[in-house]
Amino acid sequence: MDKVHDLVIVGSGPAGLSAAIYAQRARLDAVVLEKEYISGGQVVNTSEVDNYPGLPGMSGYELGMKLRAHADALEARFEMAEVKDIIIEETQNIVRTDQGDYTARAVIIATGARHRKLRVPGERELAGMGVSYCATCDGAFFKGRTVAVIGGGDVAVGDALFLARGCEKVYVIHRRDELRAARSMQEKLLALSNVEIIWDTVVEEICGEDQVEALRLKNQKTGDIRNLPIDGVFVAVGMDPNTDMVPASVDRDEKGYLVADENCVTNVKGIFAAGDVRTKTLRQIVTAAADGANAVESVQQYL
Ligand code: NAP
């Protein structure tokens, strides 16, 4: 069994990396557990981040690497391990992973969120065969082709902007008559001649034999059904928090996010929640990074 650490940080997105930096500066004995072979979380799959103060127009990958390099420069300890369960005890917590157990007096959960599924016929069957959840990862396969992006938030519009650079035609299919994304991104999108927004419309089915061939669409206002031929579909309909490994005793809101305010303190002693996984109004890189700092401050007060 590993020794008892001051702190285990679960996740290495902006919240986890920021927590690692603050924990090193506070001279805590901390270890960061990361599931993926690359740090940065969702950021590394973002084509361009244009709202992180001081670093305009930076690629998400580059920003992720910079955050990690900062933690490395302070000699933060990282281990690759997937957390399966957290056992909460009176004065310490046992973090169960596929690589063994870690014991820590405090745990910061910074596990972020994952892409929500559309849950329509064809989505699961054609995943990886034209159905994608990551435009920056898979967009290059659709150079010169016709694709659809589903959703109206920042991710959907960002994906559409990115795809429009290489694809012949990009449809954005949104269930309402107004986008949710930041106005500046909407303006960029509306200015592109190879982007068409299909309003008030939902996907009923993703059709194709071995490859995506078309979408069956339903107009919410008229009830009209039509088939839209496409080569690929990028689903960007929001996120669900990654909380499978978090004990049921930690309070969630109705959407499953861990209930904690700006100080990142949950209802369970010694368990802290930082970044996209916690209840908050604005899920951005800058707010996740702020959480990492606040969470470590709360951990220090707890210890
Ligand atoms: P989001 O803001 O929750 O947007 C999800 C979009 O998908 C909404 O337009 C929603 O429609 C639509 N939607 C949800 N369920 C649907 C369904 N079953 N069928 C069809 N459409 C559906 O999520 P996101 O775009 O993934 O962004 C997640 C968070 O990250 C947000 O807080 C966002 O601001 C942040 N983010 C920020 C940036 C940036 O600042 N550069 C970049 C990326 C992400 P309605 O509009 O009708 O609800």
Side-chain angles (χ1 to χ4, degrees):
M1 156 108 54
D2 208 43
K3 64 173 185 158
V4 181
H5 299 282
D6 292 330
L7 172 65
V8 161
I9 299 165
V10 186
S12 63
L17 289 170
S18 157
I21 290 165
Y22 275 78
Q24 287 307 104
R25 287 171 54 87
R27 301 285 183 259
L28 296 181
D29 165 23
V31 54
V32 184
L33 303 179
E34 50 182 359
K35 188 170 80 161
E36 308 289 343
Y37 65 94
I38 188 167
S39 301
Q42 298 165 57
V43 174
V44 294
N45 293 326
T46 304
S47 58
E48 191 178 303
V49 178
D50 207 19
N51 56 3
Y52 196 83
L55 298 172
M58 170 156 286
S59 84
Y61 180 83
E62 216 179 333
L63 180 56
M65 293 309 102
K66 271 191 183 293
L67 292 169
R68 169 66 195 252
H70 191 168
D72 282 338
L74 295 172
E75 298 180 345
R77 177 176 162 195
F78 288 84
E79 296 206 357
M80 219 172 123
E82 182 169 352
V83 176
K84 301 290 186 189
D85 199 5
I86 300 169
I87 315 292
I88 296 164
E89 296 180 344
E90 187 53 32
T91 57
Q92 61 183 31
N93 307 284
I94 300 167
V95 180
R96 295 243 133 101
T97 83
D98 59 353
Q99 303 298 318
D101 292 353
Y102 294 79
T103 306
R105 292 168 64 204
V107 178
I108 295 177
I109 298 162
T111 45
R114 63 178 177 278
H115 297 287
R116 190 177 295 149
K117 304 277 190 293
L118 268 180
R119 298 192 180 90
V120 295
E123 183 181 26
R124 190 167 45 82
E125 296 81 349
L126 293 167
M129 292 180 285
V131 176
S132 171
Y133 300 86
C134 178
T136 48
C137 317
D138 302 327
F141 299 121
F142 298 90
K143 199 168 185 304
R145 317 282 294 275
T146 295
V147 298
V149 176
I150 319 300
D154 282 329
V155 170
V157 172
D159 283 0
L161 288 170
F162 175 75
L163 291 164
R165 291 184 208 155
C167 295
E168 185 179 76
K169 173 97 185 179
V170 178
Y171 293 100
V172 174
I173 297 164
H174 184 39
R175 63 183 178 183
R176 290 188 294 132
D177 58 3
E178 191 186 14
L179 296 170
R180 180 183 290 276
R183 292 264 173 221
S184 57
M185 293 173 77
Q186 293 190 32
E187 285 164 14
K188 282 186 193 169
L189 189 76
L190 294 169
L192 295 176
S193 57
N194 62 338
V195 174
E196 181 180 333
I197 306 180
I198 302 180
W199 302 104
D200 301 310
T201 297
V202 292
V203 176
E204 293 234 305
E205 186 179 351
I206 301 173
C207 314
E209 279 297 317
D210 304 319
Q211 191 66 33
V212 170
E213 291 165 15
L215 296 177
R216 198 158 71 92
L217 302 179
K218 182 178 180 185
N219 184 299
Q220 302 265 69
K221 286 194 172 152
T222 62
D224 285 351
I225 304 275
R226 66 153 158 156
N227 259 24
L228 179 75
I230 45 146
D231 302 305
V233 56
F234 291 84
V235 179
V237 296
M239 313 295 289
D240 288 318
N242 291 319
T243 56
D244 288 353
M245 77 301 287
V246 182
S249 55
V250 182
D251 285 347
R252 273 94 162 152
D253 73 358
E254 70 289 349
K255 289 183 178 159
Y257 290 92
L258 302 180
V259 176
D261 65 13
E262 205 187 358
N263 59 25
C264 300
V265 174
T266 72
N267 64 309
V268 175
K269 251 186 351 176
I271 305 290
F272 303 82
D276 282 7
V277 77
R278 83 162 173 93
T279 47
K280 58 163 72 185
T281 313
L282 187 62
R283 293 194 170 84
Q284 303 276 299
I285 304 165
V286 69
T287 63
D291 276 9
N294 282 319
V296 170
E297 177 62 24
S298 297
V299 166
Q300 282 182 273
Q301 285 175 20
Y302 170 71
L303 293 177

